[in-house]
């Protein structure tokens, strides 16, 4: 789903209670502190104790930074192929062994600059092995929508550790000498290896090709990054920044220690407080990205960075300039912390699981590979023109990444990107970027108007809205016809674009176009819609053609019998209200009591129920973007409804590859006619949605727009290798839905995940749901009962992974979302519970009935916390028809029931 806002779970506090995250963070933080000791002690050892000249200092830096340029791509491919944790531990042990030789040689009086260079190479190679796996391991146990907040906390703690390491390095250097001070870094390597070994979360199944060479996987990673414009831009920005900073940092220690005559202690003190800026930048990065957008925030940070070099260039020896340089360094590292946290998060979110290490390796290869060249250039220029002029040249080089980002699309995004449409399996099978979209004159005109601020905010989406036939109105299973009811003629997929080459659709008006553009603008402003083919489709497709009639409720929610008016686009008096209804973002009712949809008369209706709807646009846009429709794909749309999903699929993929299926023949007939009015002729069939439509399979994408109790086996079987299916999984309660994301690998194996989401589709036919009656809702909110005072906080609404687990572990509960307080009832037995705040960290819990709902919630919450507070669960779809959901660490699991919904 969209990651424009911070995700529901895990919450900010829960990240610190996540055991694997703590272990990961502890080990990495210890190593950062140790590395700061080495960064402090090694230059002092080379410059002051071994009296190394400028060129040899540059060579020492060059050799230490050479391994990433030579080994990063190989290390990334190995991390994607084998165990990341084993690779991390191996790198730590090798690095510790290499560093240990320095104090040993110093104690024996045999230490030379040559040995330092060898140690720098070995330690650099070990770090490459570790880092290629470590950076890509984090997304395997932290939800993608939590990546930026996780990186923010990691970056902030790293900065504090770097500061502490600098001070500790200065103290150890002064007390023990620079050689023995390196033992602190040796200890940090061992601590990190131990913490890594204790991480319990299972890694994604590593990619172990039988025949492919490592070189082929390396090339695949390079193509992957090059093929994604956003990844390519961020990698180039990082490489350019790294080259400029590499040139500056090569001579930084020499400049401060010799030109500005700083001692070792003053050198450490200047570096230490400055590193706190990285903590400030990392901690504020999520808030800055939400307030200003990640693109403008990174652009501003890159613009400020060159200015922070001016005090260094103008400085002279003295305490006043030392303070000024420290303050400038604080600001520089704050910018680096904010921009670095954000760009790393964007890259991790955009990249599929099987390509994480190779993506990071490509970035490391270019970014770190630029540093040796910069170090050599710094050594040559520093010897030829002097240290200060070389630092001036490096400052001007910092303008290059600013220009690169300013000329890219990443300069403007206001929201973090969505999780990628995962290429199932290995990540090497990522679907290439979509071709240029078919943009019609009408679509371009709408694009010009979409930027206007809407006159009213996007209406809040309702829960669980969808095209749903009433269980009493139609049978649970309708025999599928032997032949498709729609046109099955195959034609050129490009022919589906023909209507978009006309100035307007039939029935389209400028008012409708403006309403459509306003709806799209509101969806973009709320973060539910991003640039791409779904946005273009929603701008171009006239909703009044798909829904020329729609119901509006005229009675209050509790009034019986309900009263409805059927609005009709052909009646001028209805057009204004109908346009507002169709483009409000809310669900739209299109069928009453299973009636025929075509040829009906507008007017009032009493009683009955709405049996078909179009889902809320926010949820539909979210899911269609997650589905990742591409040109030429075969798509199965299960639950036709108003035909919105089928129309978007026809627009993006071409209508000859689209099958839309519904249990209600009236819905099918209406969708076929109205899609035909748009110039589309998908295969429209009537039948049981859970059985799919194997005649036209397999399908690259399967979209189910009604809730089921378990994943229909037939739909998984009809999914093509490399395909994806989306559907809502639910229980009898409508309160806490889950989104099943099912990917089939190229080898035919299936990976599935159950994500806790705020909104989901309603149940299909034959799927009975529990609801709270008006009188029961009044009882829960007004009646007194046994009350207890507690200091246990009720779980937050945003802890959706817990509520999803509660729904499965203790079924039959329904949340009263209209209540001011947390209120939950069990309609089958009449039990209920209410929680109200009674003061700071105190709550009054009122319960009534045979079920102790509060105790059930506390038990589910405790089990959820022990499972690492997951926001998503693995779905296991076994061949013996056993389906179960399991937390990533395996501590929390439940089976999905065998009974399901038909449609």
């Amino acid at each position: 789903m969209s990651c424009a806002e911070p995700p529901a779970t895990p919450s900010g506090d829960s990240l610190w209670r996540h055991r694997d995250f703590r272990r990961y963070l502890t080990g990495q933080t210890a190593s950062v502190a140790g590395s700061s000791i080495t960064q402090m002690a090694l230059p002092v050892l080379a410059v002051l104790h071994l009296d190394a000249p400028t060129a040899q200092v540059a060579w020492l830096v060059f050799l230490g930074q050479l391994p990433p340029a030579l080994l990063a791509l190989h290390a990334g491919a190995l991390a994607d192929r084998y165990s990341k944790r084993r690779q991390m531990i191996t790198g730590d042990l090798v690095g510790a062994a290499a560093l240990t030789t320095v104090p040993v040689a110093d104690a024996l009086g045999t230490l030379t600059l040559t040995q330092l260079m060898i140690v720098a190479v070995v330690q650099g190679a070990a770090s490459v092995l570790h880092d290629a796996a470590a950076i890509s391991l984090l997304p395997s146990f932290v939800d993608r929508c939590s990546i930026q907040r996780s990186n923010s906390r990691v970056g902030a703690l790293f900065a504090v550790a770097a500061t502490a390491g600098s001070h500790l390095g200065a103290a150890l250097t002064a007390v023990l000498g620079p050689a023995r001070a390196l033992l602190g870094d040796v200890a940090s390597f061992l601590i990190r290896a131990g913490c890594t070994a204790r991480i319990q979360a299972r890694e994604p199944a590593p990619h172990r090709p039988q025949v492919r060479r490592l070189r082929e996987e390396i090339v695949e990673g390079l193509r992957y990054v090059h093929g994604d414009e956003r990844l390519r831009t961020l990698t180039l920005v990082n490489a350019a920044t790294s080259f400029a900073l590499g040139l500056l940092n090569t001579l930084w220690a020499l400049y401060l220690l010799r030109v500005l005559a700083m001692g070792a202690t003053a050198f450490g003190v200047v570096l230490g407080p400055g590193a706190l800026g990285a903590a400030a930048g990392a901690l504020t990065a999520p808030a800055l990205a939400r307030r200003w957008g990640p693109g403008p925030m990174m652009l501003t940070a890159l613009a400020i960075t060159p200015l922070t070099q001016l005090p260094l260039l103008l400085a002279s020896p003295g305490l006043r300039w030392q303070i000024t340089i420290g303050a400038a360094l604080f600001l520089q590292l704050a910018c680096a912390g904010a921009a670095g946290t954000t760009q790393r998060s964007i890259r991790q979110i955009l990249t599929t699981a099987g390509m994480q290490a190779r993506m990071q390796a490509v970035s490391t290869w270019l970014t770190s590979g630029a540093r040796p060249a910069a170090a050599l250039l710094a050594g040559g220029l520093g010897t030829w023109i002097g240290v200060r002029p070389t630092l001036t040249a490096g400052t001007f080089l910092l303008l290059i990444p600013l220009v690169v980002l300013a000329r890219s699309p990443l300069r403007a995004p206001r929201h973090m990107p969505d999780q990628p449409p995962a290429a199932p399996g290995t990540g090497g099978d990522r679907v290439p970027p979509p071709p240029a979209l078919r943009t019609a004159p009408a679509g371009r005109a709408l694009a010009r108007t979409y930027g206007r601020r809407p006159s009213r905010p996007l209406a809040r989406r309702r829960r669980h809205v969808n095209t749903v036939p009433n269980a009493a109105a139609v049978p649970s299973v309708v025999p599928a016809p032997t032949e498709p009811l729609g046109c099955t003629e195959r034609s050129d997929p490009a022919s589906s674009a023909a209507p978009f080459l006309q100035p307007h659709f039939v029935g389209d008006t400028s008012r409708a176009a403006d309403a459509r553009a306003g709806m799209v603008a509101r969806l973009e402003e709320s973060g539910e819609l991003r640039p791409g083919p779904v946005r273009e489709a929603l701008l171009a497709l006239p909703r009044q053609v798909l829904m020329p009639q729609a119901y509006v409720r005229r009675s209050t929610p509790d009034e019986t019998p309900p009263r409805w008016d059927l609005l009709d686009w052909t009646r001028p008096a209805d057009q204004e209200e109908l346009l507002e209804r169709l483009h409000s973002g809310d669900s739209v009712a299109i069928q009453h009591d299973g009636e025929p949809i075509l040829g009906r008369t507008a007017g009032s209706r009493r009683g009955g129920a709405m049996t078909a709807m179009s889902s809320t646009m926010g949820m539909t846009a979210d899911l269609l973007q997650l589905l990742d429709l591409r040109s030429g794909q075969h798509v199965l749309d299960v639950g036709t409804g108003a035909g919105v999903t089928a129309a978007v699929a026809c627009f993006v993929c071409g209508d000859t590859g689209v099958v839309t299926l519904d249990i209600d023949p009236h819905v099918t007939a209406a969708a076929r006619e109205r899609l035909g009015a748009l110039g589309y002729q998908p295969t429209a069939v009537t039948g049981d949605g859970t059985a799919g439509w194997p005649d036209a399979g397999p399908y690259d994408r399967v979209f189910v727009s009604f809730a089921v109790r378990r994943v229909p086996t037939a739909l998984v079987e009809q999914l093509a290798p490399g395909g994806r299916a989306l559907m809502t999984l639910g229980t009898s309660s409508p309160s806490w839905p889950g989104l099943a994301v099912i990917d089939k690998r190229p080898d035919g194996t299936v990976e599935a995940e159950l994500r806790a989401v705020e909104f989901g589709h309603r149940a299909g036919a034959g799927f009975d749901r529990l609801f709270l009656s008006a009188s029961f809702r009044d009882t829960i909110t007004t009646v007194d009962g046994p009350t207890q005072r507690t200091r246990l906080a009720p779980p937050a609404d945003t802890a959706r992974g817990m509520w999803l687990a509660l729904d499965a572990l203790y079924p039959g509960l329904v949340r009263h979302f209209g209540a001011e307080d947390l209120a939950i009832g069990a309609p089958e037995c009449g039990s209920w519970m209410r929680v109200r705040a009674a003061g700071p960290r105190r709550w009054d819990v009122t319960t009534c009935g045979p079920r102790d709902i509060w105790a059930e919630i506390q038990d589910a919450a405790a089990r959820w916390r022990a499972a690492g507070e997951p926001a998503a669960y693995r779905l296991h779809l076994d061949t013996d028809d056993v389906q179960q959901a399991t937390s990533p660490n395996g501590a929390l699991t439940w089976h999905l029931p065998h009974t399901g919904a038909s449609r």
Side-chain angles (χ1 to χ4, degrees), residues 662-890:
D662 201 280
I663 195 173
D664 190 332
H666 301 313
V667 171
T668 304
R672 186 185 307 113
E673 177 175 299
R674 291 165 182 177
L675 289 168
L678 298 180
Y680 295 135
Q681 292 184 329
T683 301
V685 295
T686 302
D688 177 10
T690 59
W693 189 255
D695 293 1
Y699 302 97
D700 302 300
R701 297 291 184 266
V702 175
F703 184 86
V704 181
S705 55
F706 57 90
V708 293
R709 292 185 185 274
R710 65 199 329 266
V711 177
T713 304
L715 298 183
V716 178
E717 293 173 348
Q718 293 168 36
L719 194 63
R724 163 168 286 195
L726 299 178
M727 63 193 72
T728 297
L729 293 187
T731 64
S732 58
S733 171
S735 303
W736 303 291
L739 176 67
V741 182
I742 303 155
D743 293 314
K744 181 174 285 190
R745 290 184 174 187
D747 62 4
T749 58
V750 175
E751 287 185 344
E753 184 179 62
L754 180 61
R755 303 177 184 177
V757 293
E758 183 178 6
F759 302 107
H761 288 120
R762 287 186 177 180
F767 191 161
D768 294 331
R769 284 289 180 100
L770 296 173
F771 294 97
L772 302 177
S773 65
S775 59
F776 197 7
R777 295 197 301 270
D778 290 341
T779 297
I780 296 175
T781 54
T782 60
V783 173
D784 292 330
T787 301
Q788 58 178 314
R789 180 68 54 83
T790 180
R791 290 186 175 274
L792 293 175
D797 290 348
T798 53
R800 297 192 181 93
M802 193 288 300
W803 294 111
L804 180 63
L806 173 73
D807 190 32
L809 298 173
Y810 295 99
L813 301 177
V814 182
R815 174 82 179 267
H816 179 14
F817 284 100
E820 182 178 351
D821 307 302
L822 174 63
I824 297 176
E828 292 179 320
C829 66
S831 301
W832 57 268
M833 180 218 66
R834 181 178 65 235
V835 181
R836 287 178 175 169
R841 300 187 61 81
R842 290 180 297 173
W843 291 267
D844 286 338
V845 180
T846 304
T847 59
C848 186
R851 291 182 61 171
D852 189 344
I853 300 176
W854 176 248
E856 294 173 351
I857 292 175
Q858 292 302 319
D859 177 67
R863 295 169 66 178
W864 174 68
R865 286 191 291 269
E869 303 186 357
Y873 300 84
R874 293 190 181 95
L875 268 179
H876 302 278
L877 311 177
D878 296 336
T879 55
D880 57 358
D881 204 30
V882 174
Q883 298 185 8
Q884 68 178 19
T886 306
S887 63
N889 66 3

Side-chain angles (χ1 to χ4, degrees), residues 624-643:
L624 287 176
Q625 290 170 117
L626 180 61
L627 195 63
D628 186 37
L629 297 171
R630 302 291 178 96
S631 177
Q633 288 177 336
H634 282 206
V635 180
L636 176 60
D637 169 36
V638 183
T640 304

Side-chain angles (χ1 to χ4, degrees), residues 341-377:
T341 295
T342 303
Q343 64 86 12
R344 175 179 290 185
S345 302
I346 291 174
R347 289 189 290 116
Q348 289 174 328
I349 291 171
L350 290 175
T351 305
T352 54
M355 291 295 296
Q356 281 284 345
R358 278 174 284 176
M359 178 277 294
Q360 298 290 355
V362 172
S363 179
T364 300
W365 177 59
L366 288 177
T367 302
S368 300
R371 293 172 187 163
L376 287 180
L377 180 62

